[in-house]
Amino acid sequence: MAERLAADGTAVVAHYSSNAAKADEVVAAITTKGGHAVAAGGDVADETAMGALFDTATEHFGGIDVVVNTAGIMPLGPIAEMDLATFDRIQRVNVRGTFVIDQLAARQVRSGGAIINFSTTITRLQNPSYGAYAASKGAVEAMTLILARELRGRDITVNAVAPGPTATPLFFEGKSQQVIDHIASLNPMEHLGTPEDIAEVVAFLAGAGRWVNGQTIFANGGAA
């Protein structure tokens, strides 16, 4: 997504939690092609750290026009068996983290800008073992729609993208090849989505899609 937005001429701050090396790779990929990018770290649920992240964007590029909030974790387990510490960790990253970013974005994104959160198609599929994760993303969708209405008159769009199964490290983690193949076969396209597929939806919402506001866009190949 960072590289796709940079290709449209957007200067990018690539955020990371702990993997600075990966963020540096993204920055290098963008700058090698003539784009503008810097990396900055921090805990997405820590308002002070994220305030510093937003300050980095303003200091380097003069202001903030687009915020894409993809940070999330997905530990799985049946509701009856999941320990509450894991549940709390999911909600801290996925719900509080989104709230912190949306709060800062609502204060700082300039007129004509876009705020893009991330939900999941699991909120429709409702698969067993995804209860805590789906609950967190249901909260993200609710925040997204309400923030769009709270920003009335600001000319800022607020939407959520809800990917289906997508070929990312988060998706592959803990799954056998048999399980991966089965999940990939469930949608009418009969394959996993790619990060590039999702990046195109984000680029649309960040750019030409100005009449799309207060929506959750399901990008899942027809899985739900």
Side-chain angles (χ1 to χ4, degrees):
M1 283 177 271
E3 292 181 45
R4 177 64 182 81
L5 292 173
D8 285 344
T10 303
V12 174
V13 177
H15 166 258
Y16 62 91
S17 175
S18 58
N19 195 342
K22 184 63 177 177
D24 288 340
E25 288 178 16
V26 172
V27 169
I30 292 170
T31 56
T32 297
K33 295 178 181 178
H36 302 282
V38 296
D43 177 356
V44 72
D46 183 314
E47 66 274 23
T48 301
M50 292 302 96
L53 176 72
F54 275 65
D55 289 345
T56 295
T58 299
E59 290 164 6
H60 279 81
F61 304 123
I64 301 169
D65 298 298
V66 177
V67 173
V68 183
N69 185 21
T70 64
I73 60 173
M74 192 174 63
L76 303 180
I79 291 171
E81 299 173 11
M82 178 173 282
D83 67 89
L84 291 179
T86 300
F87 177 85
D88 288 345
R89 186 162 60 91
I90 295 168
Q91 308 315 310
R92 183 180 187 278
V93 175
N94 297 2
V95 181
R96 179 186 167 96
T98 298
F99 193 93
V100 166
I101 295 298
D102 279 3
Q103 186 175 74
L104 289 164
R107 294 170 178 171
Q108 298 187 43
V109 168
R110 296 183 289 201
S111 178
I115 301 169
I116 303 166
N117 292 324
F118 264 69
S119 182
T120 172
T121 294
I122 289 295
T123 58
R124 285 189 175 179
L125 295 176
Q126 301 160 359
N127 293 344
S129 81
Y130 284 84
Y133 179 68
S136 73
K137 292 302 187 176
V140 168
E141 290 184 20
M143 274 189 279
T144 299
L145 307 188
I146 290 170
L147 182 58
R149 286 149 181 78
E150 290 179 347
L151 295 184
R152 172 185 290 272
R154 295 270 304 276
D155 190 27
I156 297 170
T157 62
V158 188
N159 294 287
V161 178
T166 306
T168 67
L170 182 65
F171 170 78
F172 289 124
E173 184 178 343
K175 296 182 178 71
S176 67
Q177 189 60 51
Q178 182 179 9
V179 169
I180 292 168
D181 292 343
H182 172 68
I183 294 173
S185 72
L186 294 177
N187 72 71
M189 308 298 287
E190 297 188 327
H191 61 77
L192 296 175
T194 68
E196 290 78 11
D197 293 327
I198 308 307
E200 288 299 327
V201 179
V202 169
F204 170 73
L205 293 173
R210 297 301 303 166
W211 197 233
V212 179
N213 188 29
Q215 305 299 315
T216 298
I217 308 299
F218 287 83
N220 57 31

